[in-house]
Amino acid sequence: MANKTGQQSALGHWLQGRLQNWQRLEQLLKRQRGRKDEVSDEVLELTHGYRSLSRDVSLARHALPDSRITRYLEALLTQTHDLIHRKPQTLWSQLLSLFRYEVPEVMRELKKPIVVSLMIFVVAGLFGWWLVASYPELVSLVASEALIRNVQQGNLWTDDLLNVTPSSFLSFRIMSNNIMVTLFAFVLGAFYGIGTLYILGINGLMLGGVFAFTHQYGMADRLFEFVIAHGCVELSVIILAGAAGIKLGEALIRPGHMSRIAAFQQAVSKASKLIAVGAPLLVGAGLIEGYISPNHSYDLGFRLAVGVSYWIFMLFCLLYTS
């Protein structure tokens, strides 16, 4: 009897002494599951913990067969084994996972912000059109003096772009500008969404105002012909960036059951995946705007085909799922 009591006491001390090690191993598992890189110190600690856990499982199976503690340790051992022996992710597999699972999931979560972003842009564009159509003198609010002067003289500022700037340099400049606008629309969401609303509003206002101004001089169709090949994707990415920025603002205003910092970090982690996809799409739009849009040898039908096809490709990248 005394011998049995002594064994139970020794077992209790063993369990108490090992509990912290098991809890630490659980923490390391959680940290490493969510990482794209590896912290060498933690990996070494995880490996040593795995070896110690193997011995603990053997002891538990002998001393406490069919107990909850043994089942817990066996499950922990299996999880640790799977993590240590997992195959390293290649860049290709990470990209496939991003496009196949992560981005479509983010798109589903951002349905409402995307609708809100689109509505803000469209309303701002309509207001810009009404403003310039009703008060033509206010066009200087949305257009530069050089642009206004060219249109008044019967010329679009896009007519001689290739005569002034090589396509390669033009594409690079356009890409840089579009990516900056997209990043601003996203990042300024950190100011409770106000910065994002400003970027969406000002870009919609300018686009609507410029179209109204060119319409007054009978050149809106020429502007549309210039914009259509690259504009479908370019504007769509800006609207998506606006939705991502709105998501950041919403996380700060309504964090729910999480802390504001945790909700904000989660929103950044999810919404930034759209920006990761949108940036390469803007590179393509910049190439189209540099090589196709200002080239008068391409007719409207070809430009429409390019614009719509590239937009469908964008939807496939954003919505593709198995």
Side-chain angles (χ1 to χ4, degrees), residues 17 62 128 159 168 172 177 207 230 251:
H62 176 73
D159 288 342
S168 56
F172 177 77
N177 179 70
L207 184 65
H230 64 270

Side-chain angles (χ1 to χ4, degrees), residues 65-118:
D66 300 323
S67 66
R68 289 179 59 188
I69 190 69
T70 301
R71 289 195 294 270
Y72 161 73
L73 292 177
E74 287 174 340
L76 187 60
L77 183 68
T78 301
Q79 294 171 26
T80 310
H81 176 274
D82 291 345
L83 185 65
I84 290 175
H85 293 89
R86 68 182 177 183
K87 293 181 179 179
Q89 279 194 311
T90 63
L91 177 61
W92 170 249
S93 63
Q94 291 178 10
L95 288 174
L96 183 62
S97 176
L98 177 68
F99 283 97
R100 194 171 186 178
Y101 304 111
E102 298 174 34
V103 170
E105 181 183 350
V106 173
M107 287 290 290
R108 287 192 293 269
E109 291 185 16
L110 292 184
K111 277 183 181 179
K112 289 183 180 179
I114 289 172
V115 172
V116 171
S117 179
L118 177 62

